[in-house]
Amino acid sequence: MNQKALKTLEYDKIIAQLTEYAASAPGRLLCRNLQPSSSISEITAAQAQTTDAAARVRLKGSISFSGIRDIRDSLKRLEIGSSLGIPELLSVSSLLTVAARARAYGCHDQTEAFPDDSLDGMFRSLEPLTPVNNEIKRCILSEDEISDDASPGLHRVRRSMKGINDRIHAQLSSILNSSRSYLQDAVITMRDGRYCLPVKAEYKGQVNGMIHDQSATGSTLFIEPMAVIQLNNELRTLEIQEQKEIEAVLAALSSALVPYADSLAMDLELLSRLDFIFAKAALSRHYRGSEPKFNTKGQIHIKDGRHPLLDPQKVVPITVWLGREFDLLIVTGPNTGGKTVSLKTVGLFTLMGQAGLHIPAFDGSELAVFDEVFADIGDEQSIEQSLSTFSAHMTNIVDILGKADSRSLCLFDELCAGTDPAEGAALAISILNFLHNMKCRTMATTHYSELKFYALGASGVENASCEFDVQTLSPTYRLLIGIPGKSNAFAISRKLGLPDYIIGDARSRLEADDESFEDVISRLEESRVTIEKEREEIQSYKTEISRLKASLEKKEERFDERRDKIIRSANEEAQRILRQAKETADQTIKNINRLAASSGVDTKALEAQRTRLRDNLNKVDQGLALKQDTKPKKAVNPRTLKLGDGVKVLSLNLKGTVSSLPDKQGNLFVQMGILRSRVNISDLELLQENSISGPGLDSSRKGSGSSGIKMSKSASVSPEINLLGLTVDEAIPQLDKYLDDAYIAHLPQVRVVHGKGTGALRAGIHKHLKRVKIVKEFHLGEFGEGDAGVTIVVFK
């Protein structure tokens, strides 16, 4: 991969961020040396490792690789038989400690549903060498201290040294106390590794001993008293023996490491590699990245991609595809609209993906494997080489045309700009047509209208534009494929204060075809915005329908459950009653047969048995029958009966309203919910209060007040109100009336559709809702409810 494209697309900044997540020097070196690969097998393996590391961090927490030391020089010294020093042995111990920690992290719990992944082999290949590591830790306490118990000889020497030190201090303390007036200070000091006393120069003859040093002024002499010279000599001899014992300990520890030199080298390589892989996983988590799918067909489909070097709170995701229906994408639109960012996003995602890094895009994004990525972006002007901007760009383009092939991705920003527009447009079309014929995947940005026409007429070439809001003079940074862009120079100039007469003069100088084409683009843009709004509304309606359908299905399930339960209970009760009746009949038949078989038949006794049987059967029949009061409590007078009167149909045990007057036979129609049935007036009972309002209902009658209104409202009030296109002053009165109707209809909550737009209507509605007393709370719709274009209002 050419280094110029890596620098142009700011790949080096991604690598710098990646390096910060590595914990060891070898891991950071691997990060700095990471280059994109053109082998799909290597790319797939690297992506799988990054994904598996991210999954482990998500499920098991992060792991620290701090403590990895580069011990390759120490291993070479072991190979030639040298002993390692204390710092080197501590570095080996630190590496083995990290290996033990990493191996424990890589192990799976038996109860954990964690399948094997691409990192298991690396974790299992680690050799912690626990006995050797424990021995190093036991013998070496720090870089400056070896344990007394490192060897028996060292322990014996240090015990002897302690005894000699005690004797020297005792002797010097005795001299110090007896000759305090001769001393400059009442302290015991050391010179050249031997214990001395600071004696005043004028009293040097009073203290017998060897002079080792004097002060800068010459007033103090450091004298080793004769009484401790022999003890100091013995102490010096013991120090030499101590050093020999320490060297023996270090040699023994080094010899213990020699058989494991290959294991140590493997541990260093694996841990450095794991540190590098988990750094990639940490970068993916920072970017909220995902693993892209790769293909060798040159097909790119980035879903909601976010440039990783932009502020994640402000960057606008883009969706772009290339290589299926078309292999050349021409992006147009105003300056600062996001064209160059879109170009760099495609190129940088390709480099990151081929380097085994996740990309900050939606799951399911797809990238192609390219042998080369070429980019001509930015100001290439060079004073040293006497190259103008156009010449510098053309030099780069010539180099690209000489190297590009069907497995190349070419990115051009403002192709052939900086020269005569007519000649520049012609050159740009020829260059793009050449790359198109070469089957290169190409993406270019431009302001030339000729390139828009070229994209409209050529097969395999597509227009795209970066959306720009002329009202606010700000880009939305959305990439729209299939729609050519407008530079909006006139609109922007008018917003910035350029006089209308100058803009009108400029417009008159446009050729008719150019002006007509720009008008067509404007109309297309207006149509697209309208269609998107309608699509959002349709989506919100679909979501509401799905919610209502799910609610209805749940209600039907509960109804079916209650019905089955009632049927089961009825069947059980019927079986109990039948068993009771059967037992009674069997017992009676037995009694009758016993009486008939006796010599004297008592007819009165037989009749009594039959009577008891009939009584029991009547009781059973009464238990099975539904007890209903078939006689009206209050007879209905056909003359006073009116349309809309509330009545009860006794035979059906249902309430309803009169929908027709009785005929000569006394038959009339009664509306009972959705059921309309013809009944006789004798089967009706007049209710004291109408439960359901109907046509012809007298509003002055008692009982025809709030209940009828509530039923009417609940049947007609929609669960949402659409205020799209209204101003705040127009929307508030409609919203107030709708909220009153919905509250009377006992709707628990409603949806207020106001759209996203500039946010002024939404802000005005929210401000008003805070003052409405019947509103308990309100909030913006969630995903699937309309998002920020809908407000959910909950009543008290």
Side-chain angles (χ1 to χ4, degrees), residues 556-601:
E556 288 181 350
E557 290 177 0
R558 291 195 295 269
F559 174 76
D560 291 340
E561 292 175 358
R562 288 197 297 268
R563 182 191 62 189
D564 294 341
K565 183 178 180 180
I566 291 171
I567 291 174
R568 284 196 301 271
S569 300
N571 289 335
E572 293 173 358
E573 181 66 16
Q575 290 175 0
R576 186 189 65 78
I577 294 173
L578 288 174
R579 283 197 301 270
Q580 181 180 355
K582 184 176 181 298
E583 291 173 359
T584 302
D586 291 344
Q587 185 61 39
T588 302
I589 292 171
K590 289 179 182 179
N591 293 336
I592 292 173
N593 291 336
R594 188 177 69 253
L595 292 172
S598 62
S599 56
V601 178

Side-chain angles (χ1 to χ4, degrees), residues 7 10 26 32 74 97 125 127 140 142 171 255 276 360 422 441 457 483 500 509 546 571 665 755 783:
K7 183 178 180 181
E10 299 176 293
R32 283 191 289 269
S74 300
T97 301
S125 298
E127 292 290 344
I140 303 177
S142 68
Q171 190 70 29
S255 299
F276 163 66
R441 301 300 182 264
I483 301 174
D500 289 341
R509 297 177 185 276
S546 300
N571 289 335
Q665 288 78 29
F783 181 77

Side-chain angles (χ1 to χ4, degrees), residues 394-581:
M394 188 52 62
T395 301
N396 193 23
I397 291 170
V398 170
D399 183 61
I400 292 174
L401 294 179
K403 298 177 181 178
D405 56 22
S406 60
R407 288 182 57 83
S408 299
L409 174 65
C410 299
L411 306 171
F412 299 99
D413 186 30
E414 302 294 347
L415 180 61
C416 292
T419 186
D420 179 75
E423 294 181 356
L427 276 174
I429 292 174
S430 298
I431 291 169
L432 292 178
N433 194 60
F434 172 79
L435 293 172
H436 179 48
N437 293 333
M438 290 283 291
K439 302 299 180 183
C440 295
R441 301 300 182 264
T442 308
M443 189 172 173
T445 68
T446 184
H447 285 286
Y448 293 141
S449 296
E450 290 85 349
L451 268 67
K452 304 176 190 177
F453 286 109
Y454 168 69
L456 290 173
S459 62
V461 184
E462 188 59 87
N463 269 308
S465 62
C466 288
E467 192 177 48
F468 191 86
D469 189 345
V470 180
Q471 299 299 322
T472 61
L473 251 188
S474 61
T476 64
Y477 302 108
R478 293 178 59 200
L479 183 66
L480 308 175
I481 294 180
I483 301 174
K486 250 189 105 174
S487 295
N488 294 302
F490 292 154
I492 294 173
S493 300
R494 180 179 288 108
K495 277 282 185 180
L496 294 175
L498 190 67
D500 289 341
Y501 60 85
I502 295 180
I503 294 174
D505 181 63
R507 191 181 295 276
S508 67
R509 297 177 185 276
L510 277 177
E511 294 183 6
D513 291 342
D514 293 338
E515 188 172 4
S516 175
F517 181 67
E518 293 295 323
D519 291 340
V520 169
I521 293 177
S522 298
R523 288 194 294 271
L524 284 174
E525 178 65 13
E526 292 173 0
S527 300
R528 182 192 62 79
V529 172
T530 303
I531 291 171
E532 283 195 358
K533 288 182 179 179
E534 292 177 351
R535 186 184 295 118
E536 290 179 359
E537 292 179 11
I538 292 171
Q539 184 61 39
S540 66
Y541 293 146
K542 285 183 178 180
T543 303
E544 181 66 17
I545 290 170
S546 300
R547 186 185 65 80
L548 293 174
K549 181 181 178 182
S551 177
L552 180 60
E553 288 176 351
K554 290 181 180 179
K555 289 181 180 179
E556 288 181 350
E557 290 177 0
R558 291 195 295 269
F559 174 76
D560 291 340
E561 292 175 358
R562 288 197 297 268
R563 182 191 62 189
D564 294 341
K565 183 178 180 180
I566 291 171
I567 291 174
R568 284 196 301 271
S569 300
N571 289 335
E572 293 173 358
E573 181 66 16
Q575 290 175 0
R576 186 189 65 78
I577 294 173
L578 288 174
R579 283 197 301 270
Q580 181 180 355

